[in-house]
Amino acid sequence: MLQIGSLVDNKYKILSEVGHGGMSVVYLAINERANKTWAVKEIRKDGVCDFEAVKQGLVVETDMLKKLNHQFLPSIIDVIDTEDSFLIVMDYIEGKSLNSVLKSGGAQPQDLVVKWGIQLCDVLGYLHSREPAIIYRDMKPANVMLRPNGDITLIDFGTAREFKNRAMVEDTTCLGTRGYAAPEQFGGRGQTDARTDIYCLGATLYHLITGHSPAEPPYEIKPLSYWDPSFYGSGIEQIIAKCCQQDPEHRYQSCAELMYDLENVHSLDLVTQRKRTQKWAAFVASAVMFGVGLLGVVGFSVAKNAAMTESYDYYISQAEMTTGAENFGTFVDYIKRAIDVDPGGHRAYDVLLSRIEEDGKFSADTEWSPLLECLNDEGEGRNQANDEYLKDSDTDGYADIQFRVGKLLFLMSEGNDADLRRSVGYFNKALNEGGMLDSQDQDVLQKANIASSLATIGSSLESLTAGSNMYTDQEYEFADLFEDLNMLVSNYSIDSMGGRQYGIALYNRVAAMMVRYSSEFRNDGISIDAITQLLDTLEGALTQVNSTLTDSESRHGFPELISNALRNVATARNNINALAGGVG
């Protein structure tokens, strides 16, 4: 280690230690002849396992910084390679890191955060404009110094790199800090570019303005209004949400674009506020002008409904932009907020179910509980479940939601008897309380027929299973079950079930029942030929659909769903062949 009072390179007198990290120590030094203070960063060779590799990175960092000249970047003055250590002499940045500011003061005022954000956009934009562009990749509060004059300086370029236009996806490795790092920094998800720094900056601004670190479990960037409702609909909430989109295409595409919105953040606030103000002003003006109680009530109702619609639409739009399995909890939070605003609105339930349905699987562990909460919870000040409000305001929407929940349980769950029985209640709600049976719409009547068939099967399985050794005494026998399954496959193609994933799930469920009840079907008089014909139909339809899958369906795991269904068909065929041979 350098000694206090020692002279480095006959120029720099070491005054004090000002900081240290895992492999380096930073000292305050003075060039007495020039009467100028500098920071001296010492990396000792005996304190680093692979010093040559570290040195190479330091040379890249210092060479990069030597080429740069920006008011918010430190300047490199000298690089000294001694026998014991590698020394970097640079500008001494008086002040403290924004991480220290957060530790001592917590969440920072919006105006300060916006000011720092604009300055960081300025310096990042400068880096991105170099030839080739420099991608910083490790933006976080610890790497931003706050000077006594209120300006910032960006430090520590250890992970920065020059952008390569022809780089492959594999070019990117996991460099950066978890929580602040963009998804593409973890390898295999695309090359890091300017939009990577925009994500990291958004995460940094999020930490500064909320006081909640995205680098701590559960490593999520929630809407600002989750922590402070006063941020709801604000410009800064919109800006940070856009910065931190998982897909780089949905973020700001340049620092200049982001800086413009930060400079006009209050105008973004006013876009929302102005609409509300105009609505409420119209109500107040009407009440004052006419002085009529009835008109006041009508005006109040109109204004209130308009504001509710705006809030509802905002939460839905935020939910739709929140993608990825890792963000499912945040997605559900937005859906719940929309339902709290208007439990009688069909759209929130539709968006929730569409997200659950898209991969053709229904997880009891992660999806059933939030779905139940959205349907059954009673909001503050209300005395009935959310879906009851939906039934009162939109009977057709209510029927659609109940029908889809029933299909999730019957077709997309793991298929245990409890889920199949549970589905019956939802099908019956769709048929009776949702009015499906009385509809004149042919599409609705088709859904009603599907719901009736699945409800019949689901309600009969328990008695069938319990009485499998004396099935001839059952009112609903295994022969009836086979005929119902055969009817479903004959009447409804994979593409006619309200989404291919449901059609594939139906055919898989039928195949699974053929595996489970092959002996019972034979014992109840169903011929080998009839069973084989049904299995042939299942196999042919699944194989045909597998050859016509879209790229989106492939990404959502449809090939795996079809593969599972075909395995069930093959197993059922083996069972039947064994029975035909007298083995069963």
Side-chain angles (χ1 to χ4, degrees), residues 15 20 54 104 197 218 254 261 296 318 324 326 340 354 395 498 515 544:
L15 300 179
H20 61 272
V54 172
S104 60
D197 282 343
S254 70
D261 272 5
Q318 292 298 304
E326 70 277 13
D340 283 342
S354 296
T395 305
V515 171
Q544 192 277 328

Side-chain angles (χ1 to χ4, degrees), residues 220-266:
E220 287 185 50
I221 297 178
K222 296 180 179 290
L224 301 191
S225 53
Y226 179 89
W227 303 110
D228 183 347
S230 68
F231 282 122
Y232 159 63
S234 66
I236 192 65
E237 181 173 57
Q238 297 173 54
I239 288 170
I240 290 175
K242 186 171 181 178
C243 286
C244 297
Q245 290 297 305
Q246 295 290 302
D247 186 345
E249 294 295 330
H250 296 158
R251 300 174 203 155
Y252 291 99
Q253 299 300 292
S254 70
C255 283
E257 185 184 345
L258 170 56
M259 184 189 291
Y260 179 84
D261 272 5
L262 285 170
E263 290 173 337
N264 295 278
V265 65
H266 294 301

